[in-house]
Amino acid sequence: MSQNADLTLSRPKAPALPTLRLPRLSIHTLVVGGVFTLLALPLVATLGYALATSWGATLLPDGLTLKWFLELWSTPRFQLAFARSMLVTLGALVLSLVLVVPVALLAHTRYPRLDTWMNGLVLVPFAVPPVVSSVGLLQLYAGGPLPLVGSPWILIFTYVTIALPFVYRAVANSLRTIDVKSLMDAAQLLGATPFSAFFLVILPNIRIGVQVAVFLSFSFLVGEFVFANMLVGTRFETLQVYLNNMRGASGHFTSALVITLFLFTLLLTWLGNRQSGHAIAKDANA
Amino acid sequence: MKRLLPAWLWLMPFALVFVAFQMAPLGWIAVSAFQVEGSWGLGHFQEIATSPFFRQAIWRSLEISLVSSLLGLIIAVLACHSLTRTSGPLRRWMIAFTNMTSNFAGVPLAFAFIILMGANGVLTLALQRVGLIDDFSLYSRTGLIVIYTWFQIPLGMLLLFPAFAGLRADWRDAASLLGAGRVAYWCHIGLPVLRPALAGTFTILIANAMGAYATVYALVNTSYNLMTIRIANLVSGDLFLQPNLASALALILVGLLAMVTLIQQWLLRRSHHVAER
């Protein structure tokens, strides 16, 4: 860990800086290095544990190995949990796009007041803690005409509502960058139906915004635990619930699981940021 | 779209799902909290107010949220201030890293802290050997404050950094030309400019901590008494399920969050009035 801190500390010394400001700079670099160390500690320790053959009462692990990762990835229960998480997350994202894109389109073209409304509505899932929502969801859908509790469906529908802030804002923002009305009119003048004009002209134009929303909400939904555990639990075990149920397992095994989940989230966030980077580059070129 | 169906009909599927899975559960909570054995009443709120157990849960939630938000805010302020004075590449790299750690939350975070600071954790053993600590428990109040503070720091930094980046160097130069020292600069320029951002960030951190459930559940299951733990246990525990009591407690939690936001707005408005005078 001290090696890490040294790395960051030595970094800013490389560029030639005015000698007068150097002492003050190093204090600030020290603070940044300290906070970095603080934030990196749990991650580094978990990574070390996941790669260690054994790590007893010593400061450093005895040896390095990939066997915990290989063991995890070949566990059928992990593979199933992974597949279930993908199913629920992809289902929720597809459904939320199908539901939200028409709303964003109409808010942009026909009902400007609707946009104000939606901007207020998207705050609700942010403001209400998941524990609170799940109290109501459990009572409403445990029995009665829609007994969804315990099935993946309730997760899909609930995830649609909590992904709404990301999805709506991203779609609405990308619609703002194009002239929807002229594009629709032009396509229809050339003989397209409103439907094909939407799918062949509007949708390709907002594709990047939609992709950014998908990647960001994907990583957010894969990390969701509260709804998954309270509404469904072991009846449809997703990745986070699986991790929680593995608390009795070897620390090396769970560390490999934690690192795997974290790397997966990082990959999705990176893909999302890369897409938005492309969008900015494209705008700058235009 | 005109020819196919009336346009507003395209809004209906979304409205249906949002009402059924977001608004209706909230409505159910607001109604059932006031339902005592089939009739309207404040019985559940009375029960919570008179029960030492529930009062402890509310108190501990407030305590942990306030302490961890304050610690997180202080560390985030120091880090952001130092970040504005470091070189461009280091700054960009650190912001990317902060963004990365802000994704690290919930159950994985609890497991990482067990590895690091649990009874046989790497850091616990190292600090014990040096003699810095003798009995630290991650599963105690101190332990929870440590882990809450950890997840508040990256969030606080991400929310505060834009405000710090907005402090312009020529303000500092102008102040020092007029004879202001470092303290005077911060009292009269730096802090007043940052105040809305600081207040807003503090509110978000408190809300974040008050509503947190996954980390603490993965860490202590139900053995530490917090509001979110009690609410969840009342609707999905193994013993007596009391959904109406859970609704009342959930309503109190939402009320506390609303109150924190209102206080912040009120303070902000008051500071604007002072500024205008």
Side-chain angles (χ1 to χ4, degrees), chain A residues 24-25 28 31 38-39 46 57 99 106 110 132 135 139 141 164 194-195 240 243 247 255 266, chain B residues 1 4 7 13 18 20 28-29 82 85 100 104 107-108 111-112 115 129 150 218 231 243:
Chain A
R24 263 174 72 189
L25 248 164
H28 293 301
V31 173
L38 199 67
L39 292 179
T46 313
L99 295 176
L106 284 173
R110 282 214 186 184
V132 172
V135 171
Q139 302 312 313
Y141 301 106
L164 177 70
F195 252 127
Q240 298 287 325
L243 174 60
R247 71 172 78 219
S255 295
L266 273 193
Chain B
M1 302 230 167
L4 283 166
F18 193 75
W28 190 89
I29 288 167
S82 289
R85 305 298 185 76
M100 199 172 98
F104 196 59
V107 187
F111 276 71
I115 299 293
R129 193 163 305 171
W150 191 91
I231 294 171

mmCIF file of all heavy atoms in Angstrom, chain A residues 24-25 28 31 38-39 46 57 99 106 110 132 135 139 141 164 194-195 240 243 247 255 266, chain B residues 1 4 7 13 18 20 28-29 82 85 100 104 107-108 111-112 115 129 150 218 231 243:
data_model
loop_
_atom_site.group_PDB
_atom_site.id
_atom_site.type_symbol
_atom_site.label_atom_id
_atom_site.label_comp_id
_atom_site.label_asym_id
_atom_site.label_seq_id
_atom_site.Cartn_x
_atom_site.Cartn_y
_atom_site.Cartn_z
ATOM 1 N N ARG A 24 4.515 24.402 -1.436
ATOM 2 C CA ARG A 24 3.073 24.402 -1.207
ATOM 3 C C ARG A 24 2.407 23.277 -1.986
ATOM 4 O O ARG A 24 1.490 22.630 -1.516
ATOM 5 C CB ARG A 24 2.483 25.747 -1.601
ATOM 6 C CG ARG A 24 2.323 26.660 -0.399
ATOM 7 C CD ARG A 24 1.873 28.019 -0.815
ATOM 8 N NE ARG A 24 0.491 28.007 -1.244
ATOM 9 C CZ ARG A 24 -0.090 29.049 -1.815
ATOM 10 N NH1 ARG A 24 0.596 30.134 -2.048
ATOM 11 N NH2 ARG A 24 -1.347 28.996 -2.165
ATOM 12 N N LEU A 25 2.891 23.074 -3.190
ATOM 13 C CA LEU A 25 2.337 22.011 -4.030
ATOM 14 C C LEU A 25 2.468 20.657 -3.361
ATOM 15 O O LEU A 25 1.560 19.853 -3.367
ATOM 16 C CB LEU A 25 3.090 21.981 -5.362
ATOM 17 C CG LEU A 25 2.277 22.394 -6.580
ATOM 18 C CD1 LEU A 25 3.197 22.705 -7.718
ATOM 19 C CD2 LEU A 25 1.283 21.323 -6.942
ATOM 20 N N HIS A 28 -0.244 19.860 -0.875
ATOM 21 C CA HIS A 28 -1.503 19.484 -1.509
ATOM 22 C C HIS A 28 -1.420 18.098 -2.135
ATOM 23 O O HIS A 28 -2.372 17.323 -2.084
ATOM 24 C CB HIS A 28 -1.894 20.527 -2.556
ATOM 25 C CG HIS A 28 -2.242 21.845 -1.928
ATOM 26 N ND1 HIS A 28 -3.259 21.974 -1.015
ATOM 27 C CD2 HIS A 28 -1.696 23.076 -2.049
ATOM 28 C CE1 HIS A 28 -3.333 23.225 -0.610
ATOM 29 N NE2 HIS A 28 -2.395 23.914 -1.216
ATOM 30 N N VAL A 31 -1.931 15.626 0.572
ATOM 31 C CA VAL A 31 -3.346 15.458 0.943
ATOM 32 C C VAL A 31 -4.039 14.560 -0.070
ATOM 33 O O VAL A 31 -4.738 13.598 0.292
ATOM 34 C CB VAL A 31 -4.058 16.827 1.031
ATOM 35 C CG1 VAL A 31 -5.564 16.639 1.236
ATOM 36 C CG2 VAL A 31 -3.484 17.650 2.168
ATOM 37 N N LEU A 38 -6.473 6.244 1.319
ATOM 38 C CA LEU A 38 -7.670 5.910 2.105
ATOM 39 C C LEU A 38 -8.713 5.206 1.243
ATOM 40 O O LEU A 38 -9.276 4.173 1.624
ATOM 41 C CB LEU A 38 -8.242 7.223 2.654
ATOM 42 C CG LEU A 38 -9.187 7.158 3.841
ATOM 43 C CD1 LEU A 38 -8.422 6.689 5.055
ATOM 44 C CD2 LEU A 38 -9.781 8.534 4.100
ATOM 45 N N LEU A 39 -8.942 5.770 0.055
ATOM 46 C CA LEU A 39 -9.976 5.207 -0.811
ATOM 47 C C LEU A 39 -9.522 3.892 -1.444
ATOM 48 O O LEU A 39 -10.329 3.019 -1.738
ATOM 49 C CB LEU A 39 -10.361 6.210 -1.910
ATOM 50 C CG LEU A 39 -11.090 7.469 -1.446
ATOM 51 C CD1 LEU A 39 -11.389 8.376 -2.625
ATOM 52 C CD2 LEU A 39 -12.375 7.134 -0.720
ATOM 53 N N THR A 46 -8.816 -6.188 -0.929
ATOM 54 C CA THR A 46 -9.673 -7.223 -1.509
ATOM 55 C C THR A 46 -9.005 -7.866 -2.708
ATOM 56 O O THR A 46 -9.041 -9.090 -2.876
ATOM 57 C CB THR A 46 -11.030 -6.629 -1.914
ATOM 58 O OG1 THR A 46 -11.507 -5.833 -0.842
ATOM 59 C CG2 THR A 46 -12.037 -7.718 -2.204
ATOM 60 N N ALA A 57 -1.513 -14.235 9.277
ATOM 61 C CA ALA A 57 -1.176 -13.152 10.189
ATOM 62 C C ALA A 57 0.041 -12.372 9.714
ATOM 63 O O ALA A 57 0.767 -11.801 10.518
ATOM 64 C CB ALA A 57 -0.936 -13.719 11.579
ATOM 65 N N LEU A 99 -40.740 2.232 -23.060
ATOM 66 C CA LEU A 99 -41.719 3.078 -22.386
ATOM 67 C C LEU A 99 -41.327 4.554 -22.421
ATOM 68 O O LEU A 99 -42.188 5.424 -22.573
ATOM 69 C CB LEU A 99 -41.878 2.644 -20.918
ATOM 70 C CG LEU A 99 -42.457 1.259 -20.661
ATOM 71 C CD1 LEU A 99 -42.450 0.957 -19.173
ATOM 72 C CD2 LEU A 99 -43.873 1.161 -21.200
ATOM 73 N N LEU A 106 -42.587 12.852 -27.322
ATOM 74 C CA LEU A 106 -43.774 13.700 -27.256
ATOM 75 C C LEU A 106 -43.509 14.946 -26.417
ATOM 76 O O LEU A 106 -43.989 16.036 -26.745
ATOM 77 C CB LEU A 106 -44.947 12.918 -26.672
ATOM 78 C CG LEU A 106 -45.588 11.925 -27.645
ATOM 79 C CD1 LEU A 106 -46.627 11.084 -26.938
ATOM 80 C CD2 LEU A 106 -46.223 12.680 -28.810
ATOM 81 N N ARG A 110 -44.456 17.818 -28.769
ATOM 82 C CA ARG A 110 -45.841 18.233 -28.663
ATOM 83 C C ARG A 110 -46.223 18.908 -27.358
ATOM 84 O O ARG A 110 -46.993 19.859 -27.352
ATOM 85 C CB ARG A 110 -46.740 16.999 -28.804
ATOM 86 C CG ARG A 110 -46.859 16.581 -30.223
ATOM 87 C CD ARG A 110 -48.206 16.047 -30.434
ATOM 88 N NE ARG A 110 -48.309 15.496 -31.752
ATOM 89 C CZ ARG A 110 -49.435 15.023 -32.233
ATOM 90 N NH1 ARG A 110 -50.508 15.022 -31.465
ATOM 91 N NH2 ARG A 110 -49.476 14.544 -33.435
ATOM 92 N N VAL A 132 -37.869 1.936 1.644
ATOM 93 C CA VAL A 132 -39.211 2.492 1.799
ATOM 94 C C VAL A 132 -40.131 1.984 0.684
ATOM 95 O O VAL A 132 -41.223 1.485 0.950
ATOM 96 C CB VAL A 132 -39.140 4.040 1.811
ATOM 97 C CG1 VAL A 132 -40.523 4.646 1.771
ATOM 98 C CG2 VAL A 132 -38.385 4.521 3.030
ATOM 99 N N VAL A 135 -41.348 -1.636 1.019
ATOM 100 C CA VAL A 135 -42.432 -1.904 1.974
ATOM 101 C C VAL A 135 -43.767 -1.918 1.230
ATOM 102 O O VAL A 135 -44.561 -2.854 1.335
ATOM 103 C CB VAL A 135 -42.455 -0.844 3.103
ATOM 104 C CG1 VAL A 135 -43.704 -0.994 3.958
ATOM 105 C CG2 VAL A 135 -41.219 -0.965 3.976
ATOM 106 N N GLN A 139 -46.351 -5.259 -0.024
ATOM 107 C CA GLN A 139 -47.762 -5.399 0.350
ATOM 108 C C GLN A 139 -48.663 -5.453 -0.867
ATOM 109 O O GLN A 139 -49.632 -6.201 -0.895
ATOM 110 C CB GLN A 139 -48.188 -4.236 1.257
ATOM 111 C CG GLN A 139 -47.381 -4.115 2.526
ATOM 112 C CD GLN A 139 -47.238 -5.443 3.249
ATOM 113 O OE1 GLN A 139 -48.216 -6.178 3.434
ATOM 114 N NE2 GLN A 139 -46.012 -5.777 3.630
ATOM 115 N N TYR A 141 -47.935 -6.399 -4.051
ATOM 116 C CA TYR A 141 -47.773 -7.474 -5.031
ATOM 117 C C TYR A 141 -47.444 -8.832 -4.414
ATOM 118 O O TYR A 141 -47.011 -9.741 -5.115
ATOM 119 C CB TYR A 141 -46.709 -7.076 -6.061
ATOM 120 C CG TYR A 141 -47.083 -5.795 -6.771
ATOM 121 C CD1 TYR A 141 -46.434 -4.603 -6.481
ATOM 122 C CD2 TYR A 141 -48.134 -5.785 -7.690
ATOM 123 C CE1 TYR A 141 -46.806 -3.424 -7.105
ATOM 124 C CE2 TYR A 141 -48.505 -4.607 -8.314
ATOM 125 C CZ TYR A 141 -47.841 -3.424 -8.019
ATOM 126 O OH TYR A 141 -48.214 -2.268 -8.628
ATOM 127 N N LEU A 164 -35.205 5.207 -14.501
ATOM 128 C CA LEU A 164 -35.850 6.328 -15.194
ATOM 129 C C LEU A 164 -35.023 7.612 -15.207
ATOM 130 O O LEU A 164 -34.897 8.239 -16.264
ATOM 131 C CB LEU A 164 -37.232 6.574 -14.570
ATOM 132 C CG LEU A 164 -37.995 7.757 -15.126
ATOM 133 C CD1 LEU A 164 -38.452 7.458 -16.544
ATOM 134 C CD2 LEU A 164 -39.193 8.101 -14.250
ATOM 135 N N PRO A 194 -44.988 7.641 -40.232
ATOM 136 C CA PRO A 194 -44.406 8.168 -38.979
ATOM 137 C C PRO A 194 -43.561 7.116 -38.275
ATOM 138 O O PRO A 194 -42.495 7.421 -37.731
ATOM 139 C CB PRO A 194 -45.638 8.526 -38.155
ATOM 140 C CG PRO A 194 -46.720 8.747 -39.123
ATOM 141 C CD PRO A 194 -46.442 7.843 -40.287
ATOM 142 N N PHE A 195 -44.014 5.860 -38.312
ATOM 143 C CA PHE A 195 -43.290 4.781 -37.655
ATOM 144 C C PHE A 195 -41.905 4.585 -38.248
ATOM 145 O O PHE A 195 -40.896 4.586 -37.544
ATOM 146 C CB PHE A 195 -44.060 3.467 -37.785
ATOM 147 C CG PHE A 195 -44.667 3.035 -36.496
ATOM 148 C CD1 PHE A 195 -46.020 2.725 -36.424
ATOM 149 C CD2 PHE A 195 -43.895 2.932 -35.346
ATOM 150 C CE1 PHE A 195 -46.593 2.343 -35.218
ATOM 151 C CE2 PHE A 195 -44.450 2.537 -34.150
ATOM 152 C CZ PHE A 195 -45.810 2.246 -34.094
ATOM 153 N N GLN A 240 -25.846 -9.862 -6.635
ATOM 154 C CA GLN A 240 -25.656 -9.232 -5.325
ATOM 155 C C GLN A 240 -26.201 -10.105 -4.207
ATOM 156 O O GLN A 240 -25.613 -10.191 -3.131
ATOM 157 C CB GLN A 240 -26.329 -7.856 -5.311
ATOM 158 C CG GLN A 240 -25.769 -6.873 -6.319
ATOM 159 C CD GLN A 240 -24.408 -6.359 -5.917
ATOM 160 O OE1 GLN A 240 -24.129 -6.170 -4.739
ATOM 161 N NE2 GLN A 240 -23.557 -6.130 -6.889
ATOM 162 N N LEU A 243 -23.776 -12.902 -3.655
ATOM 163 C CA LEU A 243 -22.623 -12.458 -2.861
ATOM 164 C C LEU A 243 -22.989 -12.424 -1.378
ATOM 165 O O LEU A 243 -22.247 -12.912 -0.527
ATOM 166 C CB LEU A 243 -22.171 -11.078 -3.340
ATOM 167 C CG LEU A 243 -21.061 -10.404 -2.522
ATOM 168 C CD1 LEU A 243 -19.806 -11.227 -2.509
ATOM 169 C CD2 LEU A 243 -20.756 -9.017 -3.067
ATOM 170 N N ARG A 247 -21.603 -15.287 2.461
ATOM 171 C CA ARG A 247 -20.814 -14.706 3.543
ATOM 172 C C ARG A 247 -20.070 -15.758 4.360
ATOM 173 O O ARG A 247 -19.066 -15.480 4.981
ATOM 174 C CB ARG A 247 -21.696 -13.839 4.433
ATOM 175 C CG ARG A 247 -22.671 -14.621 5.286
ATOM 176 C CD ARG A 247 -23.368 -13.705 6.263
ATOM 177 N NE ARG A 247 -24.425 -12.929 5.623
ATOM 178 C CZ ARG A 247 -24.672 -11.670 5.907
ATOM 179 N NH1 ARG A 247 -23.930 -11.049 6.760
ATOM 180 N NH2 ARG A 247 -25.675 -11.050 5.322
ATOM 181 N N SER A 255 -13.725 -12.541 -2.087
ATOM 182 C CA SER A 255 -12.934 -11.428 -2.625
ATOM 183 C C SER A 255 -12.866 -11.501 -4.149
ATOM 184 O O SER A 255 -12.989 -10.479 -4.828
ATOM 185 C CB SER A 255 -11.520 -11.457 -2.061
ATOM 186 O OG SER A 255 -11.545 -11.224 -0.685
ATOM 187 N N LEU A 266 -16.824 -1.505 -13.775
ATOM 188 C CA LEU A 266 -15.872 -0.583 -14.372
ATOM 189 C C LEU A 266 -15.932 -0.647 -15.891
ATOM 190 O O LEU A 266 -15.932 0.382 -16.563
ATOM 191 C CB LEU A 266 -14.448 -0.934 -13.942
ATOM 192 C CG LEU A 266 -13.936 -0.336 -12.657
ATOM 193 C CD1 LEU A 266 -12.437 -0.528 -12.583
ATOM 194 C CD2 LEU A 266 -14.277 1.135 -12.604
ATOM 195 N N MET B 1 -47.443 10.424 -36.227
ATOM 196 C CA MET B 1 -48.089 9.671 -35.163
ATOM 197 C C MET B 1 -49.587 9.962 -35.157
ATOM 198 O O MET B 1 -50.361 9.186 -34.631
ATOM 199 C CB MET B 1 -47.505 10.081 -33.809
ATOM 200 C CG MET B 1 -46.012 9.866 -33.748
ATOM 201 S SD MET B 1 -45.589 8.971 -32.267
ATOM 202 C CE MET B 1 -43.922 8.532 -32.630
ATOM 203 N N LEU B 4 -52.027 7.304 -36.486
ATOM 204 C CA LEU B 4 -52.118 5.982 -35.852
ATOM 205 C C LEU B 4 -53.082 5.974 -34.667
ATOM 206 O O LEU B 4 -54.097 5.287 -34.674
ATOM 207 C CB LEU B 4 -50.730 5.553 -35.373
ATOM 208 C CG LEU B 4 -49.842 5.056 -36.488
ATOM 209 C CD1 LEU B 4 -48.401 4.968 -36.014
ATOM 210 C CD2 LEU B 4 -50.318 3.688 -36.943
ATOM 211 N N ALA B 7 -52.038 10.987 -29.755
ATOM 212 C CA ALA B 7 -50.657 11.013 -29.265
ATOM 213 C C ALA B 7 -50.557 10.688 -27.780
ATOM 214 O O ALA B 7 -49.649 9.972 -27.357
ATOM 215 C CB ALA B 7 -50.046 12.387 -29.542
ATOM 216 N N PRO B 13 -48.540 3.600 -21.397
ATOM 217 C CA PRO B 13 -47.790 2.460 -20.830
ATOM 218 C C PRO B 13 -46.792 2.908 -19.775
ATOM 219 O O PRO B 13 -46.705 2.316 -18.705
ATOM 220 C CB PRO B 13 -47.061 1.871 -22.049
ATOM 221 C CG PRO B 13 -47.832 2.339 -23.220
ATOM 222 C CD PRO B 13 -48.397 3.672 -22.855
ATOM 223 N N PHE B 18 -45.114 3.457 -14.079
ATOM 224 C CA PHE B 18 -44.572 4.353 -13.054
ATOM 225 C C PHE B 18 -45.531 4.474 -11.871
ATOM 226 O O PHE B 18 -45.118 4.463 -10.712
ATOM 227 C CB PHE B 18 -44.283 5.739 -13.649
ATOM 228 C CG PHE B 18 -43.444 6.598 -12.751
ATOM 229 C CD1 PHE B 18 -42.085 6.354 -12.622
ATOM 230 C CD2 PHE B 18 -44.007 7.636 -12.031
ATOM 231 C CE1 PHE B 18 -41.295 7.125 -11.792
ATOM 232 C CE2 PHE B 18 -43.215 8.418 -11.192
ATOM 233 C CZ PHE B 18 -41.867 8.160 -11.074
ATOM 234 N N ALA B 20 -47.843 2.229 -10.997
ATOM 235 C CA ALA B 20 -48.001 0.943 -10.308
ATOM 236 C C ALA B 20 -46.793 0.597 -9.458
ATOM 237 O O ALA B 20 -46.937 0.013 -8.386
ATOM 238 C CB ALA B 20 -48.258 -0.160 -11.328
ATOM 239 N N TRP B 28 -49.544 3.583 -0.785
ATOM 240 C CA TRP B 28 -49.940 2.535 0.158
ATOM 241 C C TRP B 28 -49.302 2.786 1.526
ATOM 242 O O TRP B 28 -49.955 2.642 2.558
ATOM 243 C CB TRP B 28 -49.512 1.169 -0.380
ATOM 244 C CG TRP B 28 -50.103 0.059 0.428
ATOM 245 C CD1 TRP B 28 -51.292 -0.559 0.232
ATOM 246 C CD2 TRP B 28 -49.518 -0.538 1.594
ATOM 247 N NE1 TRP B 28 -51.502 -1.497 1.191
ATOM 248 C CE2 TRP B 28 -50.435 -1.512 2.049
ATOM 249 C CE3 TRP B 28 -48.337 -0.331 2.295
ATOM 250 C CZ2 TRP B 28 -50.180 -2.293 3.181
ATOM 251 C CZ3 TRP B 28 -48.085 -1.093 3.418
ATOM 252 C CH2 TRP B 28 -49.000 -2.072 3.852
ATOM 253 N N ILE B 29 -48.036 3.210 1.526
ATOM 254 C CA ILE B 29 -47.348 3.494 2.795
ATOM 255 C C ILE B 29 -48.030 4.644 3.525
ATOM 256 O O ILE B 29 -48.311 4.557 4.727
ATOM 257 C CB ILE B 29 -45.866 3.834 2.527
ATOM 258 C CG1 ILE B 29 -45.115 2.577 2.112
ATOM 259 C CG2 ILE B 29 -45.214 4.452 3.747
ATOM 260 C CD1 ILE B 29 -43.771 2.850 1.529
ATOM 261 N N SER B 82 -7.169 20.703 -2.188
ATOM 262 C CA SER B 82 -5.827 20.309 -2.625
ATOM 263 C C SER B 82 -5.811 19.948 -4.108
ATOM 264 O O SER B 82 -4.836 20.208 -4.793
ATOM 265 C CB SER B 82 -5.337 19.122 -1.802
ATOM 266 O OG SER B 82 -5.064 19.544 -0.494
ATOM 267 N N ARG B 85 -5.116 22.643 -6.494
ATOM 268 C CA ARG B 85 -3.741 23.133 -6.513
ATOM 269 C C ARG B 85 -2.749 22.123 -7.073
ATOM 270 O O ARG B 85 -1.551 22.342 -6.969
ATOM 271 C CB ARG B 85 -3.294 23.490 -5.096
ATOM 272 C CG ARG B 85 -4.179 24.467 -4.401
ATOM 273 C CD ARG B 85 -4.200 25.785 -5.152
ATOM 274 N NE ARG B 85 -4.974 26.767 -4.421
ATOM 275 C CZ ARG B 85 -4.534 27.400 -3.342
ATOM 276 N NH1 ARG B 85 -3.340 27.177 -2.906
ATOM 277 N NH2 ARG B 85 -5.280 28.261 -2.719
ATOM 278 N N MET B 100 -14.593 6.046 -9.925
ATOM 279 C CA MET B 100 -14.533 4.600 -9.870
ATOM 280 C C MET B 100 -14.941 4.099 -8.482
ATOM 281 O O MET B 100 -15.761 3.195 -8.355
ATOM 282 C CB MET B 100 -13.087 4.208 -10.165
ATOM 283 C CG MET B 100 -12.837 2.824 -10.585
ATOM 284 S SD MET B 100 -11.093 2.729 -11.091
ATOM 285 C CE MET B 100 -10.365 2.069 -9.623
ATOM 286 N N PHE B 104 -18.305 1.744 -5.982
ATOM 287 C CA PHE B 104 -18.050 0.619 -5.098
ATOM 288 C C PHE B 104 -18.892 0.810 -3.839
ATOM 289 O O PHE B 104 -18.514 1.548 -2.935
ATOM 290 C CB PHE B 104 -16.555 0.577 -4.771
ATOM 291 C CG PHE B 104 -16.097 -0.721 -4.189
ATOM 292 C CD1 PHE B 104 -16.251 -1.899 -4.900
ATOM 293 C CD2 PHE B 104 -15.522 -0.778 -2.942
ATOM 294 C CE1 PHE B 104 -15.830 -3.105 -4.370
ATOM 295 C CE2 PHE B 104 -15.092 -1.975 -2.410
ATOM 296 C CZ PHE B 104 -15.254 -3.145 -3.123
ATOM 297 N N VAL B 107 -23.229 -4.281 -0.928
ATOM 298 C CA VAL B 107 -22.706 -5.540 -0.373
ATOM 299 C C VAL B 107 -21.210 -5.714 -0.648
ATOM 300 O O VAL B 107 -20.457 -6.060 0.271
ATOM 301 C CB VAL B 107 -23.517 -6.737 -0.918
ATOM 302 C CG1 VAL B 107 -23.092 -8.022 -0.221
ATOM 303 C CG2 VAL B 107 -25.001 -6.517 -0.710
ATOM 304 N N PRO B 108 -20.710 -5.475 -1.883
ATOM 305 C CA PRO B 108 -19.270 -5.638 -2.117
ATOM 306 C C PRO B 108 -18.430 -4.787 -1.179
ATOM 307 O O PRO B 108 -17.399 -5.236 -0.681
ATOM 308 C CB PRO B 108 -19.090 -5.190 -3.569
ATOM 309 C CG PRO B 108 -20.401 -5.415 -4.201
ATOM 310 C CD PRO B 108 -21.421 -5.150 -3.131
ATOM 311 N N PHE B 111 -18.100 -6.447 2.175
ATOM 312 C CA PHE B 111 -17.169 -7.576 2.132
ATOM 313 C C PHE B 111 -15.728 -7.093 2.088
ATOM 314 O O PHE B 111 -14.859 -7.666 2.742
ATOM 315 C CB PHE B 111 -17.478 -8.470 0.924
ATOM 316 C CG PHE B 111 -18.568 -9.470 1.207
ATOM 317 C CD1 PHE B 111 -19.883 -9.071 1.342
ATOM 318 C CD2 PHE B 111 -18.270 -10.810 1.370
ATOM 319 C CE1 PHE B 111 -20.889 -9.978 1.626
ATOM 320 C CE2 PHE B 111 -19.274 -11.737 1.651
ATOM 321 C CZ PHE B 111 -20.577 -11.317 1.770
ATOM 322 N N ALA B 112 -15.476 -6.021 1.316
ATOM 323 C CA ALA B 112 -14.118 -5.486 1.244
ATOM 324 C C ALA B 112 -13.663 -4.998 2.614
ATOM 325 O O ALA B 112 -12.510 -5.205 3.008
ATOM 326 C CB ALA B 112 -14.053 -4.348 0.229
ATOM 327 N N ILE B 115 -12.634 -7.855 4.844
ATOM 328 C CA ILE B 115 -11.267 -8.282 4.528
ATOM 329 C C ILE B 115 -10.250 -7.325 5.139
ATOM 330 O O ILE B 115 -9.252 -7.721 5.703
ATOM 331 C CB ILE B 115 -11.061 -8.329 2.985
ATOM 332 C CG1 ILE B 115 -12.003 -9.318 2.330
ATOM 333 C CG2 ILE B 115 -9.616 -8.613 2.635
ATOM 334 C CD1 ILE B 115 -11.735 -10.754 2.672
ATOM 335 N N ARG B 129 -0.522 -4.890 15.668
ATOM 336 C CA ARG B 129 0.880 -5.194 15.866
ATOM 337 C C ARG B 129 1.663 -3.940 16.222
ATOM 338 O O ARG B 129 2.532 -3.957 17.085
ATOM 339 C CB ARG B 129 1.457 -5.844 14.601
ATOM 340 C CG ARG B 129 2.804 -6.475 14.837
ATOM 341 C CD ARG B 129 3.152 -7.438 13.739
ATOM 342 N NE ARG B 129 2.142 -8.465 13.541
ATOM 343 C CZ ARG B 129 2.149 -9.305 12.516
ATOM 344 N NH1 ARG B 129 3.080 -9.219 11.605
ATOM 345 N NH2 ARG B 129 1.231 -10.223 12.396
ATOM 346 N N TRP B 150 -16.297 6.324 4.630
ATOM 347 C CA TRP B 150 -15.578 5.928 3.416
ATOM 348 C C TRP B 150 -16.442 6.124 2.177
ATOM 349 O O TRP B 150 -15.987 6.669 1.179
ATOM 350 C CB TRP B 150 -15.124 4.466 3.518
ATOM 351 C CG TRP B 150 -14.170 4.095 2.421
ATOM 352 C CD1 TRP B 150 -12.820 4.181 2.472
ATOM 353 C CD2 TRP B 150 -14.493 3.610 1.118
ATOM 354 N NE1 TRP B 150 -12.281 3.780 1.284
ATOM 355 C CE2 TRP B 150 -13.276 3.430 0.424
ATOM 356 C CE3 TRP B 150 -15.682 3.321 0.454
ATOM 357 C CZ2 TRP B 150 -13.219 2.957 -0.884
ATOM 358 C CZ3 TRP B 150 -15.632 2.867 -0.853
ATOM 359 C CH2 TRP B 150 -14.405 2.690 -1.500
ATOM 360 N N ALA B 218 -25.406 -6.282 4.976
ATOM 361 C CA ALA B 218 -24.406 -7.305 4.659
ATOM 362 C C ALA B 218 -23.383 -7.429 5.788
ATOM 363 O O ALA B 218 -22.816 -8.487 6.005
ATOM 364 C CB ALA B 218 -23.702 -6.966 3.349
ATOM 365 N N ILE B 231 -37.120 -1.175 9.447
ATOM 366 C CA ILE B 231 -38.192 -1.166 8.440
ATOM 367 C C ILE B 231 -38.185 -2.485 7.678
ATOM 368 O O ILE B 231 -39.207 -3.166 7.551
ATOM 369 C CB ILE B 231 -38.004 0.023 7.454
ATOM 370 C CG1 ILE B 231 -38.177 1.347 8.185
ATOM 371 C CG2 ILE B 231 -38.994 -0.073 6.306
ATOM 372 C CD1 ILE B 231 -37.802 2.557 7.352
ATOM 373 N N PRO B 243 -46.519 -4.890 8.677
ATOM 374 C CA PRO B 243 -46.346 -3.962 7.550
ATOM 375 C C PRO B 243 -46.830 -2.540 7.855
ATOM 376 O O PRO B 243 -46.205 -1.588 7.405
ATOM 377 C CB PRO B 243 -47.161 -4.595 6.422
ATOM 378 C CG PRO B 243 -47.971 -5.666 7.045
ATOM 379 C CD PRO B 243 -47.297 -6.077 8.294
#
